[in-house]
Amino acid sequence: VLRTVRARGLVHELAAGFDVARERGRGRFDLNPPFLPQRDERGFSTKFEALVADDADWKPVLKAVLGTDDVELIASGVFLAMPGAETQAYHTDGVHLDLRRHAKPHAVNVFVPLVDLT
């Protein structure tokens, strides 16, 4: 992907983002490949349907943590940090439901490293 972006002279466009790729700092990329649908559990391919099944391992945990039976996977993606990537600045990953009063937790972000971190 990066080779194509550079070859086509689109490096400046990557910061603003494409539908499936956005640079989040030097060497850090947020990717939303089409095989991982967003905002609709029914859109997941059979390869990933176990992630959104009613008996998925993560659902009982989040039901207990959030105190509700209404849990769903609303987004998925891939985050890629290249060797020597810029350190990520502290930030929120979502918007507040109400800017005037504190709300109960309503969302959980989970990142799964695909490399050994030890």
Side-chain angles (χ1 to χ4, degrees):
V1 171
L2 294 176
R3 193 173 324 168
T4 301
V5 166
R6 287 186 190 110
R8 294 187 178 194
L10 298 172
V11 173
H12 64 284
E13 297 287 339
L14 196 54
F18 294 104
D19 288 345
V20 297
R22 177 172 284 121
E23 188 170 25
R24 298 289 190 184
R26 185 180 48 79
R28 297 176 52 252
F29 303 92
D30 188 355
L31 310 169
N32 294 300
F35 61 83
L36 292 176
Q38 308 296 306
R39 299 256 173 221
D40 186 358
E41 288 189 356
R42 295 166 299 189
F44 276 75
S45 69
T46 55
K47 185 183 288 188
F48 298 99
E49 67 187 8
L51 290 174
V52 296
D54 289 338
D55 62 349
D57 292 341
W58 61 270
K59 287 189 176 183
V61 175
L62 287 188
K63 287 177 182 181
V65 168
L66 298 176
T68 180
D69 284 336
D70 186 23
V71 297
E72 64 180 315
L73 181 65
I74 61 168
S76 59
V78 176
F79 197 84
L80 172 65
M82 304 297 285
E86 189 175 83
T87 302
Q88 180 176 359
Y90 180 80
H91 66 282
T92 60
D93 281 331
V95 298
H96 293 280
L97 296 177
D98 187 333
L99 295 177
R100 294 172 295 213
R101 64 182 177 88
H102 188 72
K104 291 181 179 181
H106 68 281
V108 175
N109 288 336
V110 177
F111 294 90
V112 179
L114 301 178
V115 296
D116 186 1
L117 297 178
T118 61

